[in-house]
């Protein structure tokens, strides 16, 4: 009953704006506390710039007609029960800067058409069941600053083209099924603040270029299959959080770790650390 009620309520809102000549609506925010769907008729609100339909019980799919809302700048449909695919028509939204559809039940690959969203700065699709691989076409999003893909079922490797995302500050791919080694191009991203790779099937060594990421604040790579040497003390002084746990590194903790004056969290459980803990670690006041 409530599903039908909310669906027709939203339809009435859309048609009311049309009948009263108020289809100049630019912002629409809905919190559906009962099961509902996003009607295809949403496309009639052609001047819409901001659309929020989050923190509710919206089910069904994202309608392909959403691609007709070419003035959209902001869309958030997170924390619902949406399933299926992100429609390829999403690529028509060339003005959009913020797209979030986290904590749903999406279960299809990331559409390559995301690469057409040339204004996109913030992309958040974590906590779904998205499968397939990370499209190399994402590298065309040269304004992208935040990319969150964590807690999905993404497979394959990290495409080397990711290294072209010069403006990115947060790259999260935690808890997926991504494998292979880290492309050296990933460490061309000198604006990175957060690099979260934990909970995957990644292997090989950590390229030494990571020590050149002067802005890096958080590095998580726990629960993978990384091996080889790593020098904690070589991270730049801005680093706050490091988690190397449950890997196969081969390293010791150098007394120079005391130079990391902002270090607040360091986790090294079953990570291949050997030797003694230097007394200088007590100088880490954080």
């Amino acid at each position: 009953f409530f599903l039908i009620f909310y669906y027709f309520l939203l339809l009435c809102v859309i048609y009311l704006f049309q009948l009263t000549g108020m289809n100049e609506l630019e912002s629409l925010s809905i919190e559906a506390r009962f099961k509902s769907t996003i009607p295809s008729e949403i496309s009639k609100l052609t001047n819409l710039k901001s659309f929020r339909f989050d923190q509710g019980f919206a089910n069904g799919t994202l309608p392909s007609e959403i691609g007709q809302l070419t003035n959209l700048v902001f869309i958030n449909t997170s924390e619902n029960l949406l399933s299926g695919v992100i429609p390829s028509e999403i690529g028509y939204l060339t003005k959009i800067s913020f797209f979030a559809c986290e904590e749903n039940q999406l279960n299809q690959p990331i559409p390559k058409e995301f690469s057409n969203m040339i204004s996109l700065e913030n992309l958040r699709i974590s906590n779904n069941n998205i499968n397939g691989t990370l499209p190399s076409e994402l590298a065309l999003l040269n304004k992208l600053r935040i990319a969150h893909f964590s807690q999905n079922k993404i497979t394959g490797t990290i495409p080397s083209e990711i290294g072209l995302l010069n403006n990115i500050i947060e790259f999260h791919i935690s808890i997926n099924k991504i494998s292979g080694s880290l492309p050296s191009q990933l460490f061309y991203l000198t604006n990175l603040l957060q690099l979260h790779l934990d909970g995957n099937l990644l292997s090989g060594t950590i390229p030494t270029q990571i020590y050149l990421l002067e802005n890096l604040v958080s590095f998580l790579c726990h629960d993978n299959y990384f091996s080889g040497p790593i020098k904690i003390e070589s991270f730049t002084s801005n680093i706050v959080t490091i988690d190397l746990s449950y890997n196969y590194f081969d390293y010791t903790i150098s007394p120079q770790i005391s130079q990391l004056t902002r270090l607040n969290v360091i986790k090294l459980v079953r990570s291949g650390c050997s030797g003694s803990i230097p007394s200088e670690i007590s100088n880490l006041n954080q």
Side-chain angles (χ1 to χ4, degrees):
F1 171 76
F2 287 111
L3 172 61
I4 298 172
F5 172 75
Y6 270 90
Y7 180 81
F8 280 103
L9 179 61
L10 185 52
L11 284 183
C12 287
V13 170
I14 293 170
Y15 283 114
L16 177 63
F17 278 106
Q18 282 196 303
L19 291 172
T20 58
M22 294 176 64
N23 57 349
E24 298 297 316
L25 183 69
E26 294 187 354
S27 180
L28 179 61
S29 180
I30 299 170
E31 289 187 16
R33 294 305 179 185
F34 298 95
K35 285 188 176 181
S36 55
T37 59
I38 302 174
S40 59
E41 287 80 2
I42 192 74
S43 62
K44 298 181 184 297
L45 300 177
T46 54
N47 288 290
L48 205 60
K49 293 183 179 179
S50 175
F51 178 53
R52 296 193 63 154
F53 201 105
D54 58 329
Q55 299 180 359
F57 294 93
N59 60 9
T61 61
L62 278 173
S64 59
E65 289 81 2
I66 207 164
Q68 297 176 34
L69 301 176
T70 54
N71 287 306
L72 269 179
V73 175
F74 178 100
I75 180 169
N76 188 354
T77 56
S78 299
E79 298 181 55
N80 282 295
L81 302 171
L82 296 171
S83 59
V85 65
I86 298 173
S88 60
E89 288 82 359
I90 205 80
Y92 295 132
L93 305 181
T94 57
K95 295 180 181 179
I96 200 162
S97 64
F98 184 101
F99 180 87
C101 194
E102 298 183 296
E103 296 187 49
N104 278 285
Q105 299 171 8
L106 302 175
N107 55 13
Q108 297 295 317
I110 300 168
K112 295 179 180 180
E113 287 78 8
F114 262 133
S115 62
N116 297 327
M117 300 164 73
I118 55 176
S119 300
L120 192 61
E121 296 180 12
N122 198 322
L123 173 59
R124 299 170 182 263
I125 51 175
S126 296
N127 295 80
N128 280 285
N129 294 308
I130 293 170
N131 54 38
T133 61
L134 290 173
S136 59
E137 290 84 356
L138 292 174
L140 298 174
L141 300 175
N142 56 21
K143 292 185 178 180
L144 193 64
R145 291 174 58 79
I146 295 175
H148 290 185
F149 304 106
S150 297
Q151 290 187 254
N152 280 292
K153 296 179 180 179
I154 299 171
T155 57
T157 60
I158 301 173
S160 60
E161 291 84 355
I162 291 294
L164 298 174
L165 297 174
N166 295 323
N167 291 304
I168 202 162
I169 60 173
E170 295 181 13
F171 184 62
H172 294 188
I173 57 170
S174 305
I175 313 179
N176 278 286
K177 298 180 180 180
I178 298 171
S179 58
S181 59
L182 299 180
S184 60
Q185 293 87 343
L186 181 62
F187 301 96
Y188 296 169
L189 304 176
T190 55
N191 290 310
L192 267 179
L193 298 177
Q194 298 178 5
L195 180 58
H196 293 182
L197 311 171
D198 50 292
N200 280 287
L201 304 172
L202 295 164
S203 59
T205 60
I206 303 293
T208 56
Q209 292 98 319
I210 194 171
Y211 309 131
L212 302 177
L213 298 180
E214 295 183 357
N215 297 304
L216 191 64
V217 172
S218 178
F219 177 60
L220 308 182
C221 71
H222 59 85
D223 292 278
N224 276 289
Y225 296 91
F226 290 118
S227 59
I230 191 165
K231 296 182 178 180
I232 298 174
E233 69 279 4
S234 294
F235 282 87
T236 64
S237 58
N238 285 318
I239 197 73
V240 174
T241 301
I242 299 175
D243 192 344
L244 310 179
S245 301
Y246 300 101
N247 280 289
Y248 300 93
F249 295 114
D250 182 8
Y251 69 102
T252 59
I253 302 175
S254 166
Q256 292 176 314
I257 194 174
S258 62
Q259 298 174 4
L260 304 181
T261 55
R262 295 188 63 197
L263 190 62
N264 181 262
V265 176
I266 181 168
K267 297 182 180 181
L268 309 173
V269 180
R270 296 186 181 181
S271 59
C273 180
S274 60
S276 59
I277 299 175
S279 59
E280 288 83 356
I281 204 166
S282 63
N283 296 328
L284 298 175
N285 296 326
Q286 297 292 330

